[in-house]
């Protein structure tokens, strides 16, 4: 099995440079640029939206992605328009969003949501080097399900040819976090109006083993993070840490 690349070069106290593109202006007190905050939000997600412009037309494509240090990866069919367009270093903005709660205030203006989000900017390039592509595809699986690739049937040449991988070094990034719940005006607390915060989580369902499993094939222990009833963001964070454990 190919060893996962260590996450060590993403220093805990490092930050992304702040410039005109990624400086949070609106409600800037909710902003963060440090690797720790940005990466934690990214690693708690499997899904991102990748935005790019082709001939003046904006596109925003949802896709699975994963992080390796300060680099992001996503993949798809070699025939995908998104991946063909992104092969040659086009500027992209990749976003991740976690909706953490609905906030029901005592007036419409103060209704809100708690959230964690990241916008990451860079230039996408197709991974053409065979070894880098192979390693990336291993981590596409192992980032979600640590060590799973080692036990799988190897990909065929045709499967590899049909798959394109795109990577982007994060040049700039911003995180924005709201976690304060209700924030009514002080005077509004005297009003006879119901208010509450409704936490929102995506939760894992009960795994459904394939009915055609060979006798004696059991669920691997490495799937431990994926337990019925568990929060998806927590499972994904745990799986990412297992996959990219420091060497
Ligand atoms: C789940 C969710 C729901 C939201 N709902 C609303 C809503 O209903 N109305 C509303 O006005 N806003 C909402 N926001 C906030 C919204 O994402 C923007 O932050 C806000 O609209 C200001 O946009 P702007 O382009 O004017 O920000 P600016 O501060 O001008 O943006 C400048 C830079 O700040 C950074 N930035 C801005 N927003 C974010 C972000 N969310 N995450 C990471 N980096 C960011 C980017 O790098 C951006 O280029 C929501 C956010 C989330 C995550």
């Amino acid at each position: 099995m190919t060893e996962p690349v260590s996450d060590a070069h993403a220093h805990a106290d490092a930050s992304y440079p702040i410039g005109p593109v990624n400086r949070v202006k609106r409600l800037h007190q909710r902003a963060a640029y440090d690797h720790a905050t940005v990466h934690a939000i990214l690693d708690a997600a499997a899904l991102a939206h990748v935005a790019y412009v082709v001939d003046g037309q904006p596109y925003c494509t949802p896709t699975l992605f994963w992080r390796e240090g300060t680099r992001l990866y996503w993949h798809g069919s070699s025939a995908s328009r998104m991946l063909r367009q992104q092969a040659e270093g086009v500027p992209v903005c990749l976003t991740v969003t976690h909706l953490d709660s609905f906030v029901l205030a005592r007036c419409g203006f103060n209704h809100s949501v708690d959230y964690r989000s990241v916008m990451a900017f860079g230039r996408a390039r197709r991974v053409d080097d065979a070894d880098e592509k192979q390693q990336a595809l291993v981590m596409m699986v192992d980032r979600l399900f640590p060590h799973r690739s080692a036990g799988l049937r190897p990909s065929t040449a045709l499967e590899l040819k049909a798959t394109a991988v795109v990577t982007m070094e994060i040049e700039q990034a911003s995180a924005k976090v709201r976690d304060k719940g209700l924030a009514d005006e002080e005077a509004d607390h005297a009003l006879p109006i119901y208010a509450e915060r409704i936490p929102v989580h995506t939760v894992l369902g009960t795994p459904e083993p394939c009915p055609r499993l060979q006798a004696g094939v059991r669920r691997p222990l490495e799937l431990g993070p994926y337990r019925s009833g568990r929060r998806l963001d927590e499972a994904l964070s745990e799986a990412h840490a297992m996959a990219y454990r420091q060497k």
Side-chain angles (χ1 to χ4, degrees):
M1 178 200 150
T2 324
E3 273 295 308
V5 173
S6 166
D7 207 18
H9 58 291
H11 300 294
D13 55 353
S15 281
Y16 288 103
I18 305 170
V21 169
N22 70 328
R23 182 187 302 281
V24 177
K25 297 169 204 75
R26 247 178 59 76
L27 300 174
H28 57 85
Q29 66 278 13
R30 295 180 184 170
Y33 306 92
D34 59 289
H35 286 192
T37 303
V38 170
H39 295 175
I41 293 170
L42 293 171
D43 298 346
L47 172 68
H49 288 80
V50 182
Y52 54 102
V53 175
V54 181
D55 296 333
Q57 170 64 50
Y59 297 89
C60 182
T61 306
T63 186
L64 292 174
F65 84 104
W66 67 105
R67 178 187 72 85
E68 195 163 296
T70 54
R71 190 169 288 177
L72 302 175
Y73 287 91
W74 55 99
H75 95 309
S77 157
S78 297
S80 149
R81 180 196 58 195
M82 170 182 75
L83 297 183
R84 272 187 285 118
Q85 292 295 338
Q86 293 167 354
E88 305 307 336
V90 296
V92 302
C93 173
L94 179 146
T95 64
V96 160
T97 305
H98 302 277
L99 172 60
D100 291 328
S101 76
F102 292 112
V103 175
L104 285 69
R106 291 173 176 81
C107 71
F109 184 80
N110 285 331
H111 276 64
S112 192
V113 289
D114 285 329
Y115 60 79
R116 293 161 284 152
S117 57
V118 160
M119 294 171 68
F121 303 89
R123 287 175 181 275
R125 71 167 170 86
R126 191 179 56 222
V127 175
D128 289 325
D129 178 81
D131 288 343
E132 189 187 358
K133 181 174 169 182
Q134 174 66 31
Q135 169 66 15
L137 290 172
V138 164
M139 292 317 295
M140 156 105 202
V141 172
D142 285 8
R143 170 270 173 270
L144 292 171
F145 314 111
H147 316 305
R148 182 163 174 76
S149 285
L152 297 179
R153 168 180 69 69
S155 298
T156 64
L158 209 60
E159 288 169 343
L160 289 174
K161 194 171 171 220
T163 308
V165 175
V166 171
T167 187
M168 176 188 109
E169 181 68 26
I170 304 175
E171 294 168 10
Q172 291 174 290
S174 54
K176 202 168 169 185
V177 177
R178 186 192 194 276
D179 59 2
K180 63 181 181 178
L182 280 160
D184 272 320
E185 310 305 323
E186 189 50 42
D188 288 353
H189 290 93
L191 299 171
I193 299 170
Y194 185 75
E196 69 175 15
R197 172 179 184 267
I198 306 174
V200 177
H201 303 301
T202 300
V203 170
L204 296 165
T206 305
E208 299 168 357
C210 175
R212 295 180 62 182
L213 286 177
Q214 295 294 302
V217 174
R218 302 261 172 269
R219 191 170 200 255
L221 290 175
E222 287 85 4
L223 292 182
Y226 297 92
R227 297 185 294 278
S228 172
R230 186 146 196 234
R231 278 175 55 165
L232 174 65
D233 58 351
E234 291 178 359
L236 289 170
S237 299
E238 186 182 334
H240 189 279
M242 283 170 69
Y244 285 103
R245 70 193 177 285
Q246 306 253 328
K247 286 193 277 186

